[in-house]
Amino acid sequence: MSIYKKLFGQTIIYGIATVVPKMIGFIMAPYHINWLPKDAYADYTLIFSWMMFFNVILSFGMETAFFRFYNKKENKNEVINNTILFLMAVCGIFLGGIYLFKEYVDLYFGIPPIVVSYLIWILVLDTLVVIPFAILRAQQRPIKYSFIKITNVFINAGLTVILLYSIPNFLTQNPTNEFAKYYNSDFKVGYLFLSNLVASGVTLILLSNHYLKLKFKFNKSLWKEMIIYSFPVMIGGLAFVINETFDKVFLKELLPENFKDLGLASYGAIYKIGVFMVLFRTAYSMGIEPFFFSYAKNDDAPIKYATVTKYFVIFGSLAMLTIVILADVIKIIYIPQKDYWFAMEIVPYVILANLMLGIYTNLSVWYKIQDKTKIGAYISIIGAIVTVVLNFILIPTIGLTGAAITTLIAYASMMLISYIIGQKSYPIPYDKKAIGLYLGTSIVFAFTYFYKFRDNYFIGITFLLIFVAMIYYNEKVMIQRMLKSVLKK
């Protein structure tokens, strides 16, 4: 059970690094809604969708490639040098190219040019810390990793509060203060991204030791191997971003003109209620990817992968059911403006979609450890095609719910395709009966409660207790063994 203890321990620490920033973001979201006009909040939602897209391009799949080759090659410093130098070159090319067409970028977003410059440099700084963060994970240093991640979010949140709340309040009470002429009250989205930019800069400084130790020696043959591996990962990543974020882009284009800003702002706000499922999925992924690669050579790897996947589904299904039952409580705290609440109908679809994505992460192990990342790219491209086609069909027909259903179908399709192909290439003895039981029961309970008995918490809690009892009854022995292993000194 030591492997589970190690994985569980690292997941907890990575979970802290994930949970704290997400929780701070969760806490800040209501203030963003209050501080920003609806059109500005819609812009904020749209901009982040595009930033995720360019984050994938700039990182070029090198994070996953780094883990693969760091565990595969004896000369680990050579792997570090190659990945960092390559991403530095990518950032340089990006900066040169983007500033040639910056006026068109400014025109598309319709925001001040200085804000677009903030976005560009945020993307570059975030790319430059991808490999330093990956090194910390590969070297199993989750505490330092967590400290830097948490520092980043506190700086970002702290500056946001100062720039969007403290200073405006001070100037309201002191309108003749000399500082008033330097503060632009119409620059609120700009101040949000300025805070982000400063936080990204500090993060790079905290990780700068990896650049100070950098040797400017580039292994071309290793680079070719890594590019062959990483390029499909990047293509898959782009397809993934389309699945994950382009629902907002499509909403901006396909919703009626008089509803675009409110619809997109509401969708973006309600979508974040799924943050708890995202927390669970992301924390798990941070711990599991290094585990997949480091354990791949063991004879019992398929059995371990199967067990880990089963328990991910169990706890993920429990998390989904809990969030759906409490969604109307969360919205009161999280979304202070009631005119955003009309998008609540998307909640079960969004949360289930994130669970499907987490299961897909587990199922993707077979092509990553076999260096068949192009298969992952093909699967993600299929998901992206589903996303594009269904968004065009469903958004004009059923609006915001159509976008959420599309996301769910895209991830479910990717999950099933990966499972079918993976079992032929790298058979893993998944406990299909148990996984189907837990996942199916949680889906039936969650959707039945939300659309038939919503606000009847007696029924909701009853569903939850039945599900917990079912888990304990079926998994009692394994749960007790895992807890003893984790708590054992």
Side-chain angles (χ1 to χ4, degrees), residues 407-433:
T407 302
L408 171 58
I409 294 174
Y411 288 148
S413 301
M414 291 166 59
M415 179 187 73
L416 291 172
I417 293 170
S418 183
Y419 171 75
I420 293 169
I421 299 176
Q423 288 301 88
K424 295 178 180 179
S425 179
Y426 185 85
I428 296 176
Y430 296 115
D431 189 344
K432 296 185 289 293
K433 183 178 178 181

Side-chain angles (χ1 to χ4, degrees), residues 52-53 235-248 250 267 271 353-354 357 360 376-389 391 403-415:
M52 286 186 65
F53 185 82
I235 298 300
L238 290 175
F240 166 78
V241 169
I242 291 174
N243 298 332
E244 179 73 3
T245 68
F246 269 40
D247 48 352
K248 289 86 172 175
F250 286 120
Y267 185 89
Y271 199 95
N354 274 286
L357 180 58
Y360 171 72
Y378 296 149
I379 294 172
S380 294
I381 289 170
I382 292 172
I385 293 171
V386 170
T387 295
V388 172
V389 172
N391 270 316
I405 291 174
T406 295
T407 302
L408 171 58
I409 294 174
Y411 288 148
S413 301
M414 291 166 59
M415 179 187 73

